[in-house]
Amino acid sequence: MSQWKNLPLSDLLIWARELAEDLEFPTVHQWKAGGGKVLGHFQVYFPEEIAHAAGMLPVKVRGAQLEPRQAGSRFGSYLCSILKTSLEVAMTGRLPLDMFVTHPICDSARNLAGIFGRNLAFPSQILYLPQNANSAFAAEYLAEEYHRLSEDVSRISGQPISDQALRDSIRLYNQSRRLLRSLYQLKREEPWRLAVDEAYVLVALSGLLPRREYIELLEYAMDLLAQRQATRRDMLRVVWDGGFCEQPPIDMLRVVARSCYVVDDDLLIGQRYLLEDVPEDGDPWMALAESYLHRSNWCAVQHDLRKPKEAMLLDRIRKSGAQAAIITAAKMCEPGLDEQVAYSKALDEAGIAYFISEFEEQMSGFEGLQIQLETFAENLLFD
């Protein structure tokens, strides 16, 4: 897992991309070979500290760029690709799991635990995040839900989760949260130092590596990025929205990076969902619950009346100094496609330019997209 050490930045980013796209999940197999247990969690947010405190490796299950030959028959053809490819990597043994956790973020994902449970030997669970985040009892409910889930985690790992162990995990994850905030601050303030596809692969590794090593890697990468000699170009500053669940191909992000500076986005937002450090003293279960409710990001599948999605998108655009937005959605993604309509109306009313697109994780060939984006950016820059 330490092949990245002492690499120059260009080689480090190549290595990170290769690992992020590796369909054989070598870091997970290495962890298993050492006797470790693995908890896979589906999009969007999961408190990885719980798995870490039990000695497990939490792994983000985010689909893959492969044909779902075995898993395809378990789903309807009208469903999004990420469901099928997530099951495929588990059924084929590419991603060796000891437990799987999903969330009812949409009608399709709410049944994913049952489909995993019928086709695979390991336990599958559903984490029910609060549907009414504005309730006075939401934090208490969520802390109890975390406790409930932790019983299965402890049984599978063979390691009880003490309050102190959970505090220690929170402290460790706070370190990576601070680093990820710094990474995105760099994207906003000096986007010429860090393209969207490069930032993406660095974030993606948080769902594949043990947390201590990930922190070391990201610290090393941030030092190299601070020294990077990069020329500022006259490019359009944009916010990307639509990557909260199924992920676009990295080549698609590279195409976007040729025409635009992506200064903020919702790509893999679950890996950086908490916007502030989780309190490290007191009741750790309640600290995690309250952080999710009161110190968290937003996305299309969260229900919180304090965070109207259109207003939150406009706020993200303004705070990042973006000049326009790229509003995307995965094919067959009902929440994402629904939000495109609402976002378009809000952006029209605010007088903010936007580019609408659609993607699927197995797409290839982006010449048309590149021409359209170049035209969009040039029209705004030279109008």
Side-chain angles (χ1 to χ4, degrees):
M1 297 185 190
S2 59
Q3 297 170 345
W4 56 269
K5 292 184 178 179
N6 300 318
L7 289 175
L9 182 60
S10 58
D11 291 344
L12 174 66
L13 293 170
I14 291 171
W15 175 86
R17 173 169 179 171
E18 289 176 348
L19 182 56
E21 292 186 310
D22 195 324
L23 299 178
E24 300 303 325
F25 299 91
T27 57
V28 183
H29 282 276
Q30 186 174 345
W31 179 269
K32 289 281 288 183
K37 299 292 182 68
V38 179
L39 183 149
H41 57 93
F42 192 66
Q43 305 279 32
V44 174
Y45 170 73
F46 175 79
E48 293 185 324
E49 294 91 337
I50 294 174
H52 182 272
M56 299 183 77
L57 176 67
V59 172
K60 170 64 73 177
V61 179
R62 53 182 172 86
Q65 285 189 288
L66 80 171
E67 186 70 26
R69 298 182 183 278
Q70 294 188 39
S73 61
R74 273 71 174 181
F75 298 93
S77 59
Y78 51 86
L79 299 179
C80 57
S81 175
I82 187 175
L83 300 174
K84 304 169 189 177
T85 58
S86 293
L87 181 61
E88 181 75 13
V89 294
M91 290 184 67
T92 57
R94 290 181 169 93
L95 181 59
L97 301 178
D98 296 286
M99 181 177 179
F100 175 70
V101 179
T102 188
H103 321 273
I105 59 173
C106 66
D107 288 341
S108 301
R110 75 173 65 248
N111 297 309
L112 199 54
I115 295 170
F116 265 69
R118 291 182 65 177
N119 290 279
L120 295 156
F122 52 79
S124 297
Q125 265 284 8
I126 300 175
L127 173 61
Y128 292 97
L129 297 168
Q131 291 298 299
N132 182 7
N134 307 117
S135 167
F137 301 99
E140 182 179 346
Y141 158 78
L142 185 54
E144 288 300 318
E145 180 68 0
Y146 287 164
H147 269 293
R148 179 192 67 80
L149 183 71
S150 72
E151 293 177 1
D152 276 352
V153 175
S154 295
R155 178 175 55 82
I156 292 163
S157 70
Q159 181 174 320
I161 303 173
S162 67
D163 286 357
Q164 188 56 50
L166 189 55
R167 289 190 197 99
D168 291 342
S169 294
I170 287 172
R171 187 173 298 109
L172 185 67
Y173 273 75
N174 279 342
Q175 292 182 42
S176 65
R177 273 186 275 271
R178 289 191 287 271
L179 286 166
L180 286 169
R181 290 199 297 268
S182 296
L183 186 77
Y184 267 71
Q185 182 179 356
L186 179 65
K187 279 186 63 175
R188 287 188 294 272
E189 296 178 358
E190 300 178 85
W192 51 92
R193 290 187 185 272
L194 184 66
V196 59
D197 55 301
E198 297 171 339
Y200 178 85
V201 297
L202 291 175
V203 175
L205 296 192
S206 68
L208 292 170
L209 293 173
R211 188 57 43 162
R212 288 190 188 279
E213 180 170 354
Y214 179 67
I215 290 170
E216 292 177 14
L217 183 149
L218 200 50
E219 287 176 338
Y220 180 65
M222 290 297 294
D223 288 342
L224 294 179
L225 287 166
Q227 304 167 33
R228 190 179 207 178
Q229 300 298 315
T231 303
R232 181 174 183 172
R233 298 166 57 195
D234 189 16
M235 293 175 65
L236 189 70
R237 294 172 60 95
V238 302
V239 160
W240 170 292
D241 190 276
F244 60 89
C245 186
E246 185 169 326
Q247 299 301 293
I250 296 175
D251 281 340
M252 182 178 184
L253 298 179
R254 291 192 70 185
V255 167
V256 173
R258 292 173 189 154
S259 303
C260 308
Y261 288 137
V262 179
V263 292
D264 208 345
D265 58 64
D266 65 346
L267 297 162
L268 290 174
I269 199 165
Q271 295 303 98
R272 46 190 182 85
Y273 207 69
L274 303 187
L275 296 172
E276 302 174 19
D277 287 1
V278 178
E280 297 172 4
D281 52 5
D283 182 348
W285 304 93
M286 187 61 75
L288 283 171
E290 290 181 341
S291 290
Y292 173 80
L293 291 167
H294 306 306
R295 294 181 285 273
S296 63
N297 221 312
W298 62 277
C299 74
V301 293
Q302 186 188 40
H303 306 281
D304 190 334
L305 297 176
R306 300 167 300 175
K307 302 176 183 178
K309 299 179 183 68
E310 297 90 334
M312 297 302 289
L313 174 61
L314 295 175
D315 186 61
R316 178 177 286 167
I317 291 170
R318 290 174 181 135
K319 285 183 176 178
S320 63
Q323 300 159 282
I326 297 177
I327 307 300
T328 65
K331 292 181 179 179
M332 305 295 181
C333 176
E334 192 171 322
L337 293 168
D338 283 348
E339 292 303 330
Q340 278 191 337
V341 178
Y343 290 159
S344 298
K345 181 179 179 182
L347 291 167
D348 282 333
E349 292 174 352
I352 298 173
Y354 57 93
F355 180 93
I356 288 186
S357 184
E358 194 176 70
F359 67 85
E360 188 176 39
E361 60 186 0
Q362 298 180 54
M363 284 174 64
S364 62
F366 302 99
E367 293 82 2
L369 174 65
Q370 182 172 349
I371 294 171
Q372 293 168 13
L373 267 176
E374 287 174 352
T375 304
F376 173 74
E378 289 172 2
N379 283 342
L380 292 176
L381 287 173
F382 305 117
D383 186 10

